[in-house]
Amino acid sequence: MTLLTTWPESGPGTLLRRTADPVEIAAALEPLGVRYERWPVREDVPADADSETVFAAYGPQIDRLTAEEGFTTVDVLGLHPGDDPEYPVRAKAAREKFLQEHTHDDDDEVRFFVSGSGVFYLHVGSEVHAVYCEKGDLLGVPRGATHWFDMGTRPSFTAIRFFHEEDGWIATFTGSAIASRFPDYDTLAAGYEQEKDAA
């Protein structure tokens, strides 16, 4: 399930919103120009499925979204702990790349989570919105929106990425240290799991 948490940009001392209701999340994100959808989850798709398996499983949804938005490139990105001795190095480098506040001048950032989870942080106006996404969630951050993404210290996810531009992910970094002021993925995920266990 998705979790939306909103704070003032000054820091997380004041909680402005916290909801796991998909209707409320969609209503809160729509005015920000953020696309949020829930796709039916394919439980028969392994968490670390390869691109061919993912495309076969989610073909109709991919085709619909590509037709609606005019995407030219769709790919699958996966990062999972396992037997790969390079995983710690690759995971750290990937996390650091996305963890700094940035914008995309020429493209939206659209991701569908096939498995695993991650948090998009949207810095809009005087607020920061943390959108904790799990499998089945699609999130589209509009071009020009200031944001960052955290996959945690031990990333484990597979995501479909949609691009209008063939060059793929190109970021303009703001140089701000704002990301360091807010709870990271590991903190949010741990709290969320405790809440679900208690429910």
Side-chain angles (χ1 to χ4, degrees), residues 33-195:
V34 176
R35 182 174 191 141
Y36 165 69
E37 295 180 6
R38 286 284 302 167
W39 290 2
V41 173
R42 291 289 301 268
E43 299 292 355
D44 57 329
V45 176
D48 59 352
D50 60 21
S51 298
E52 184 178 343
T53 302
V54 171
F55 284 135
Y58 290 99
Q61 292 91 340
I62 293 170
D63 291 345
R64 173 186 61 81
L65 189 60
T66 298
E68 285 179 8
E69 297 294 336
F71 293 116
T72 60
T73 304
V74 182
D75 67 14
V76 175
L77 175 68
L79 190 57
H80 298 274
D83 297 331
D84 180 4
E86 295 297 316
Y87 168 81
V89 174
R90 292 192 308 114
K92 182 179 180 184
R95 186 185 189 215
E96 289 176 354
K97 176 181 178 181
F98 300 120
L99 195 54
Q100 303 304 312
E101 185 184 64
H102 60 276
T103 63
H104 302 290
D105 299 329
D106 298 319
D107 211 343
D108 302 332
E109 184 163 349
V110 181
R111 305 290 180 266
F112 171 72
F113 284 83
V114 176
S115 67
S117 56
V119 180
F120 281 93
Y121 297 80
L122 312 167
H123 182 193
V124 183
S126 60
E127 297 179 339
V128 170
H129 310 268
V131 188
Y132 180 95
C133 298
E134 292 186 320
K135 66 179 180 180
D137 288 328
L138 179 131
L139 196 76
V141 179
R143 69 188 67 196
T146 307
H147 66 285
W148 66 94
F149 176 75
D150 191 5
M151 60 185 75
T153 52
R154 279 185 61 80
S156 182
F157 69 91
T158 296
I160 304 173
R161 307 190 302 173
F162 298 84
F163 299 101
H164 292 102
E165 303 294 331
E166 292 184 4
D167 293 336
W169 195 88
I170 300 175
T172 300
F173 293 93
T174 68
S176 171
I178 189 171
S180 65
R181 299 204 302 263
F182 289 86
D184 63 8
Y185 168 90
D186 292 338
T187 302
L188 289 177
Y192 193 27
E193 289 303 320
Q194 288 178 354
E195 287 182 17

